[in-house]
Amino acid sequence: MPSFAVTTAAQSYEAIVERGVLGRVAEFIPARTGVVFVVTTEDVWALHGEDVETALESRQWRLILFPGGEERKRLSFVEDMAEQMVEAGGDRSSLVIAFGGGIVNDLGGFLAAIFMRGVPVIQIPTTLLAQVDAAVGGKTAANLVSGKNLIGAFHQPLVVLTDPDVLATLPEREYRAGLFEVIKHGIIRSETLWRLMRDESDRVLERKPEAVEMMVAESVRIKCEVVSADEREGGLRRILNFGHTVGHAYEAETGYGRFLHGEAIGLGMKAAAHLSRLTGRLSPELCEEMVAVIHRYGPFPSLEGIAAPQLMARLVKDKKTIQGRVHFVLATGIGSTEVVAGIEEPLIHQAIESSLR
């Protein structure tokens, strides 16, 4: 299985995609590390904790259980985990292992970034969404009531360990939610990945090993390539936000409790595809194809009670809004995008309306 390099000004590391790599985690912990803190959720630990526990048997380590859920991705929970680390003897020699889905990878990474002004972190993603997106790139965060990921830090990991085997236990809805981020990678950077998602949905949905490995490896390759070129989202890395501007509005408007992150991004990609068409950057035929592929990996939760004006109001609070100007990543074809600001509000409203259908 492949390994991909991330090279940034902060540090260089590997993102390893390998079946059974959970059992090798101790190999990547520096010799002089003090207490190792494994941040995870109860369900992930019950399913996959034994492999990690066995691997760490010769190390001093502690388990920190996070209750999970987007609505708990808040600073108060980070403070609680930091207090647990102090009580268990954590210091500047400690290391955090963020072992779970995207929320755990974001929050565990943020905890590592700020504990004692920064300790190392190893990311071990256990959901498809985390494997193909959240765990790679060093973006860590917590939510505010006003919006998603508005508190955070760039904190690159020592290594990212991705084991496709853990996806076999992933609930169907969680798996499908992750597929929307795979679709995103295909649209912005990979015609090969796009063709897989468009033409072989049966194999993808059945979790055929070769399809899963291709999705994960190609997505990790793309993420590593983009992060290496632009660590702090000053240029190229912004393309990874395709669908996220409106997607985050869906999450915030519903209090982070109705949609899984990937589902919200699926809806956001519908809006982005329609906005790309409305601004003349994407053909109506390709827009229709994108929307059809997105719907193939649904269903979406109910959209009852959500209206375009509400979502429009949320856009100005998104972290991609700069000096009041909302920035959108728009598709110009498969594998090509453009970051655009200053789009007329009626067009944005129309695109959002289309995403609600």
Side-chain angles (χ1 to χ4, degrees), residues 27-222:
E27 298 175 23
F28 303 95
I29 299 173
R32 295 186 178 182
T33 299
V35 184
V36 175
F37 293 93
V38 181
V39 176
T40 189
T41 55
E42 195 170 319
D43 56 341
V44 169
W45 190 251
L47 288 167
H48 307 294
E50 187 175 346
D51 289 336
V52 173
E53 186 172 7
T54 300
L56 295 178
E57 60 185 6
S58 63
R59 308 300 301 242
Q60 186 182 2
W61 67 279
R62 294 288 185 276
L63 184 66
I64 296 181
L65 290 176
F66 170 69
E70 193 74 49
E71 69 279 7
R72 298 184 184 91
K73 190 181 173 185
R74 301 294 299 279
L75 202 55
S76 59
F77 286 91
V78 178
E79 182 178 357
D80 178 67
M81 291 189 288
E83 291 284 7
Q84 291 183 55
M85 290 176 69
V86 172
E87 291 169 8
D91 58 26
R92 296 180 68 181
S93 71
S94 296
L95 176 144
V96 172
I97 295 176
F99 179 40
I103 295 169
V104 167
N105 278 262
D106 276 3
L107 219 55
F110 186 42
L111 173 65
I114 62 175
F115 185 76
M116 301 284 176
R117 297 194 176 96
V119 297
V121 63
I122 292 175
Q123 301 279 15
I124 306 181
T126 60
T127 65
L128 179 59
L129 188 144
Q131 290 189 354
V132 302
D133 187 60
V136 178
K139 285 172 70 173
T140 73
N143 297 338
L144 293 178
V145 173
S146 335
K148 186 179 172 68
N149 294 339
L150 295 183
I151 304 174
F154 286 93
H155 189 60
Q156 300 295 344
L158 288 182
V159 67
V160 181
L161 304 178
T162 296
D163 186 345
D165 277 343
V166 302
L167 299 181
T169 61
L170 200 61
E172 182 70 10
R173 184 184 174 195
E174 291 270 3
Y175 178 71
R176 285 176 180 260
L179 295 174
F180 294 115
E181 287 281 4
V182 178
I183 291 170
K184 179 200 78 176
H185 285 129
I187 290 174
I188 67 171
R189 201 76 174 173
S190 173
E191 190 171 344
T192 301
L193 192 51
W194 172 252
R195 286 199 301 267
L196 174 73
M197 303 307 289
R198 182 192 64 192
D199 301 335
E200 301 188 50
S201 57
D202 288 346
R203 292 175 62 234
V204 169
L205 289 170
E206 291 169 8
R207 309 189 202 191
K208 296 294 186 184
E210 64 278 10
V212 170
E213 289 170 14
M214 191 274 187
M215 285 191 303
V216 173
E218 181 68 355
S219 293
V220 171
R221 181 193 68 78
I222 290 167

Side-chain angles (χ1 to χ4, degrees), residues 272-307:
H274 283 293
L275 194 55
S276 303
R277 171 183 59 81
L278 291 166
T279 57
R281 290 172 170 82
L282 193 67
S283 71
E285 294 77 18
L286 190 48
C287 174
E288 184 179 337
E289 183 178 290
M290 286 181 182
V291 171
V293 171
I294 290 166
H295 273 284
R296 196 174 302 162
Y297 292 98
F300 291 102
S302 168
L303 302 179
E304 185 179 354
I306 306 173

